[in-house]
Amino acid sequence: LESGMVRFKNTQNILVKNLLVVTVGFPCWYVIGYPLAFGATDRPSMFAGSKFFFMQGLWENKDALRLWLFQGAFCTTAATIISGAIAERTQLKGFLTFTVLMTSVIYPVVVYWGWSGRGVLNFMSDEGESKSLLGAPFIDFAGSGIVHLVGGIGSLCGAIIVGPRKGRF
């Protein structure tokens, strides 16, 4: 889809960027992203997780490995959404820097807030009811709300920063 929206001369660049999102994003998710997103401790912070760095202690648990792979795909998907929004206007090293930041910190922290059950958007009160610091607790029925929220806001910010495609539209 994305390569169909760029000029022919940039098609290979887009394909390489999507490949790099996966090859750079998954190691970042492995080292720091997954722990920040799902590493809630016994006394959790409402901001981010703080255990399972380098997936320490998860290799024996096949369910945890499945969750890591499944959620890693969501993480890299959020980064590729932004890749399309800033297509033809960024250099590769700038895009790689963004990818590392997105898959290591930005996306995982937002995931913790919404999906961990202990973050800012959805946590259990002392009375055992779901709460949020911002009103009603966040419920993501299909599981794609956070992916598209982070991808969309990142796309908007990226498009504002890099400006319009000159000569395209």
Side-chain angles (χ1 to χ4, degrees):
L1 176 68
E2 187 178 341
S3 63
M5 296 302 295
V6 297
R7 290 173 277 205
F8 180 73
K9 68 179 185 172
N10 293 318
T11 302
Q12 287 181 338
N13 186 3
I14 293 299
L15 296 174
V16 167
K17 281 183 179 178
N18 283 332
L19 184 62
L20 285 174
V21 165
V22 175
T23 57
V24 171
F26 261 98
C28 292
W29 179 249
Y30 169 80
V31 172
I32 193 169
Y34 182 85
L36 291 178
F38 294 102
T41 59
D42 294 333
R43 295 179 47 122
S45 154
M46 291 183 107
F47 183 72
S50 59
K51 68 177 184 178
F52 304 133
F53 290 96
F54 292 92
M55 291 186 60
Q56 183 179 15
L58 293 179
W59 287 104
E60 299 80 29
N61 184 346
K62 290 191 187 322
D63 288 335
L65 290 176
R66 283 187 205 106
L67 179 66
W68 173 82
L69 182 63
F70 183 70
Q71 293 296 334
F74 278 160
C75 180
T76 57
T77 298
T80 59
I81 290 171
I82 301 166
S83 167
I86 59 174
E88 299 185 321
R89 295 169 287 169
T90 56
Q91 292 183 359
L92 192 58
K93 65 181 171 184
F95 180 73
L96 284 176
T97 302
F98 147 76
T99 299
V100 168
L101 187 61
M102 174 61 95
T103 57
S104 297
V105 180
I106 298 169
Y107 179 81
V109 168
V110 177
V111 164
Y112 185 85
W113 292 351
W115 287 343
S116 71
R118 299 178 181 204
V120 172
L121 299 176
N122 190 353
F123 64 91
M124 286 292 196
S125 68
D126 292 336
E127 295 81 36
E129 59 186 54
S130 244
K131 290 207 173 228
S132 170
L133 292 181
L134 305 173
F138 176 76
I139 299 172
D140 192 359
F141 291 107
S144 66
I146 287 180
V147 176
H148 289 92
L149 171 77
V150 174
I153 291 173
S155 295
L156 177 63
C157 293
I160 290 169
I161 291 167
V162 299
R165 292 189 211 180
K166 291 188 169 77
R168 174 68 175 149
F169 298 106

